[in-house]
Amino acid sequence: MNRRLNWLGRAGLALVAAGMLQGLASPAVAQSQDSVTFGFFAPLTGRFGANGERFKEAVNLFVEQTNAGGGIGGKPLVVLTEDDRGEPMQATAIAQKLSENKDVVAAIGSFTSGNSIAAGEIFAAAGVPQVSPSSSHPDYTKISKFQFRIPNTQDTMSLKYVSALEENAPHKRVAVIYFQDDWGIFVGNATKAALEKDGAEVPVFEAMLPDARDFRPLVTKLRQANVDSILLASHYGPSAIFLQQLRQAGLEQTVVGPETLYNPELITLAGDAANGVITTTYFFPGDPTKVAFVDAYKAKYGREPDLWAAYAYDAIAIATAGAKALADAGKPITREALRDAIADLPPYDGVTGVTKFVDGTPAKDLTILKITDGAYTLLK
C-alpha cells in the first residue's frame, strides 16, 4: 500500500467512525453576497509552528493589501484561520468544518504533504479548490482536480537537491539522513536512488526519529563510514541539534539539504554550526525583483519574509487571481468555477517564481543558498 493510502486510510477510518463524512457541502456553493471567503489552515503550534506562523503572516498581509485595493469585484476578501497543529486528523476535522461552511469557496493549506493529503480527500468530495503553499509529495495532486500546489513535486525537487550537492561538495561517499515522516522518507529514498544512479556510494542511510534529540550514535556512524558529504532531508529543529552535535564531534563535512533548512530559526538554534550549510529555495529576499513584497512584509512585521511566507503569499494570491477573473467576467464565484479559473490562469509571476499549473503542479527553478557568517547568501 502506498503512502497516500496509508495517510488517507488512517484519516478516513477515523472520520467514518466519527460520522464526519456526512453532509459535505455542494461543489456549486458560492460565497455570500457580501464577501469572498477562503479557509486557511496550517500548523500554527507544534513542531512546525514557526513555518505556520510565517504562512499566517503572509496571508494576513495579502488580505490587508487586497482589501485596501478594493477587494475582489468590490467585495472584501475574508480568510477563516485554523490551526492543524501538524496533525493529519486535525487537518481532516478542519477540512470538514470548512467544507460545511457554505461561504468558503477555496482552502489554502496545509504545510506538510501528509496534512494536505488528509484534508484533500474532504475538499475533493466537497468540490473545494485547495491550494497548498508547500506540499510536494506527488500523491497530493493525484487526489482530484481540486488540488493545486506552489512548488514542484518532490521527485523533481529531489533531483535538484542531488544536483546542488554534486555541484558544490565532494560526493563519492554521501550519507543520506532523512526525517521519519512521509515527506522525509520519500526524499530520502529519492535522493539515495539519484546519488547511486550517478555513481556515488551511500554508506549511511538513516532516519531521524521525530522526537530524537541525541544524534551522537549517528555522528559516530558517520565518522566510521568516512563520508565525504551529507544530504540532510529534515526540518529546521532537529537539523539544528544534529548540526551542533556533528560539529562538536569535529566532523566538517559539507551538509546539503532542501528548503526545510532555509529558515532563520535554523541559524538561531544551531549558531555557528549552521555555517557552510547549502540549501535550496524558490525565494530569496535579496532578489531585487521581490522588493515590493519584502518591503511590505518588513514594514508590517519588522523582519524579512522567508520562503514559507513567500509560499503562502503566492498560494492565496493565485486563489485570489482566480476569483478576480470570475468577478471581472461578471460570473458568480462558486467552488467549481473558482477551481476552473485557477487551473486556467495564465502563467502567474509571483514571489516564488512563475507558476503555471499542469494537473495542479508547476515547474520551477530553484535558487541555491549557503549559510555564511550566520546568514543565508546566494551561492548561485
Side-chain angles (χ1 to χ4, degrees), residues 312-379:
Y313 192 85
D314 273 0
I316 190 169
I318 284 172
T320 300
K324 285 184 175 180
L326 292 172
D328 291 345
K331 298 179 180 178
I333 304 174
T334 66
R335 293 172 174 181
E336 181 80 30
L338 181 52
R339 189 230 74 92
D340 293 344
I342 293 170
D344 293 339
L345 284 173
Y348 184 88
D349 191 2
V351 294
T352 63
V354 177
T355 299
K356 175 58 181 175
F357 294 117
V358 177
D359 296 329
T361 296
K364 295 179 177 178
D365 292 328
L366 288 173
T367 298
I368 311 300
L369 303 177
K370 184 175 183 178
I371 300 176
T372 304
D373 297 329
Y376 290 98
T377 58
L378 279 172
L379 186 59

Side-chain angles (χ1 to χ4, degrees), residues 47-236:
R47 65 178 182 269
F48 305 126
N51 305 99
E53 279 297 323
R54 300 298 84 75
F55 275 14
K56 180 181 176 182
E57 289 173 352
V59 166
N60 288 345
L61 172 63
F62 182 84
V63 171
E64 182 179 285
Q65 292 174 326
T66 297
N67 290 337
I72 300 172
K75 299 177 182 179
L77 173 61
V78 174
V79 173
L80 308 179
T81 299
E82 299 282 349
D83 178 11
D84 67 26
R85 303 194 296 266
E87 301 169 2
M89 287 307 303
Q90 183 67 13
T92 59
I94 290 169
Q96 177 74 19
K97 177 181 178 181
L98 294 175
S99 295
E100 290 177 343
N101 184 336
K102 63 181 179 62
D103 290 338
V104 174
V105 292
I108 310 299
S110 180
F111 169 70
T112 66
S113 292
N115 274 28
S116 296
I117 289 175
E121 286 291 324
I122 307 298
F123 290 130
V128 178
Q130 175 189 6
V131 185
S132 172
S134 56
S135 296
S136 55
H137 196 288
D139 283 351
Y140 166 66
T141 49
K142 293 177 182 177
I143 296 172
S144 78
K145 67 177 185 178
F146 288 91
Q147 275 66 47
F148 301 89
R149 70 172 104 236
I150 299 304
N152 300 326
T153 54
Q154 194 56 65
D155 48 357
T156 299
M157 292 169 71
S158 292
L159 296 177
K160 295 179 182 292
Y161 307 153
V162 170
S163 294
L165 185 145
E166 292 176 343
E167 292 172 6
N168 296 286
H171 52 274
K172 183 177 180 181
R173 293 170 61 80
V174 182
V176 175
I177 312 300
Y178 60 93
F179 191 80
Q180 194 174 49
D181 62 4
D182 295 291
W183 166 83
I185 292 168
F186 188 97
V187 177
N189 284 307
T191 53
K192 179 176 183 291
L195 286 162
E196 291 176 337
K197 183 178 180 181
D198 289 349
E201 297 177 55
V202 183
V204 178
F205 180 67
E206 190 156 328
M208 282 183 166
L209 298 177
D211 296 323
R213 295 296 180 267
D214 183 1
F215 298 110
R216 287 173 295 183
L218 173 57
V219 171
T220 298
K221 186 178 292 188
L222 294 170
R223 184 192 300 278
Q224 293 172 343
N226 193 30
V227 298
D228 297 321
S229 55
I230 299 167
L231 200 152
L232 178 61
S234 185
H235 303 285
Y236 70 87

